[in-house]
Amino acid sequence: MPGNDAVRLELDDIQSGALHERPSPYVGVYLLLRIDDRADGRALVRRLTAVVDTGTPSADPAHDAWITVGFTYHGLKALGVPQTSLDSFAPEFREGMAARATHLGDVGEASPEHWEQPLGTADVHVAIAVLAPDLPRFEAVSEKARRAYQELDGITVVWRQDCYQLPTGRTSFGFKDGIGQPGVEGSGRRPTNPHERPLKAGEIILGYPDETGELPPMPAPDILGRNGTYVVFRKLHTKVAAYRQYLRAKAADREEEALLGAKMVGRWQGGAPLALSERDDPELGGDPRRNNDFLYGDDPRGFKCPVGAHARRANPRDALDGDGSVNVRLHRMIRRSTSYGPELPEGVLEDDGADRGIIFVGVGAHIGRQFEFVKTQWLNDGIFIGAPSEADPLVGPVDGTTSFTIPQRPIRRRLQDLPPFVTMRGGEYFFAPSLSALRWLAELP
């Protein structure tokens, strides 16, 4: 662990999913469970405590396969957590994602009445994530998870989603993902962007000072909250054929098609950022020492990377430094998104009817000022970039009348009538307790 870390995280008490970089490629599964019997629920937690992995760095390849567990508000209630403790959790967590759908822009086709059942309902209590670099290790770890709920009549698996990351690291839209994660003090892992210092530990893990210098609000008692974190889970169906059709219709040739796609995302498909490269450079995009080594301050008007591009909206870096009311570091989170469903073969422009997309997973200590702020203020609204009528071109709430501006000389280009390329299929807020908290939950009186 680097000696200059200002804080030492209790890594052997923190679940792997919060701080541990995922292997690449990997296969995985998300399971959602319902607790119908309190005693069986506590037995489940007791069994999971024995197999959940911690965030301690390791050179052991077996450490690249792990199990992570989280609970909804209703799940903690089903376990018998005292009401005084339940009331101490963040208000967004207590309400649940479905109750906050209008605030988040999950309306119309993306509204909770259209979500996959039982996502967003009181029947979702426990989430188990299993990840491994290959199928043999995945099956071995999956068996550990299965044994945790086997023969417990009061536990029911209510939803399952298989997921994966390709060796290329690309999503269903064809772009390399997972670039630009922040560093966290005390984690033992340095930032991928040398221009950014690590985030204070309390931005991600409860029980430590955050960027304000204060301890973030933490569930009570301390053993329940400390070393835990909140997890945002969203299933996003991607309309890949519609996306390709739109670019094909707006571009004069395949080269311009690739450029328009990169302008929307902020990176080329191979991962090279527009801030560093005027062409798709897979070698740059695949180099973790270089593909995140940039800021936006030298491109205030967005001639290299449009200010409305998805990656720049999600993390404006230093682009808002001139606005003293905005501290970008207060809105950073760790993203652990992954792909699901079959790829649409390259060049295919017709929808094949398959369900494919992205499972967005965001980790942080502040649901409100991290995920919800970014979603509502930066992705859904264009006021902060001076374009109030423009939403994020990929994940914003577009309705066929939204536009996207590409600054260029002598005249900017505006793409009109963007159709929705992503549809929310459901999600929830979870709390990922520490190992100590799991033991506390298992032994509740």
Side-chain angles (χ1 to χ4, degrees), residues 1-9 184-188 197-202 208-210:
M1 186 180 298
N4 61 351
D5 279 345
V7 65
R8 289 187 179 273
L9 288 170
V184 180
E185 279 191 357
S187 68
R197 68 183 188 278
L199 291 176
K200 294 295 183 183
Y208 303 86
D210 61 19

Side-chain angles (χ1 to χ4, degrees), residues 14-19 68-71 89 93 201-207 218-219 224-232 333-334 362-367 370 429-434:
I14 299 169
Q15 292 196 52
S16 284
L19 299 172
T68 306
V69 61
F71 302 87
F89 279 85
F93 172 79
E203 289 297 315
I204 306 300
I205 305 297
L206 294 167
M218 189 171 73
L224 175 60
R226 183 174 175 82
N227 289 327
T229 189
Y230 292 106
V231 179
V232 179
M333 63 190 129
I334 290 177
V363 179
H366 304 271
I367 296 175
Q370 290 172 330
Y429 293 138
F430 293 93
F431 179 69
S434 68

Side-chain angles (χ1 to χ4, degrees), residues 32-36 71-78 93-101 111-127 156-159 233 424-430:
L32 300 183
L33 291 74
R34 186 183 68 239
I35 300 170
D36 296 315
F71 302 87
T72 63
Y73 173 86
H74 293 288
L76 294 174
K77 190 172 185 178
F93 172 79
R94 299 197 308 267
E95 290 182 35
M97 190 176 291
R100 301 185 64 75
S111 60
E113 59 262 32
H114 300 302
W115 289 4
E116 292 182 13
Q117 291 297 311
L119 296 177
T121 74
D123 283 341
V124 177
H125 293 166
V126 186
T156 304
V157 177
V158 294
W159 189 83
F233 181 90
M424 171 72 166
R425 288 286 173 85
E428 192 51 270
Y429 293 138
F430 293 93

Side-chain angles (χ1 to χ4, degrees), residues 147-164:
R147 286 198 296 266
Y149 58 82
Q150 273 181 335
E151 300 176 1
L152 292 176
D153 294 337
I155 303 298
T156 304
V157 177
V158 294
W159 189 83
R160 175 191 176 112
Q161 180 64 65
D162 296 303
C163 61
Y164 61 89

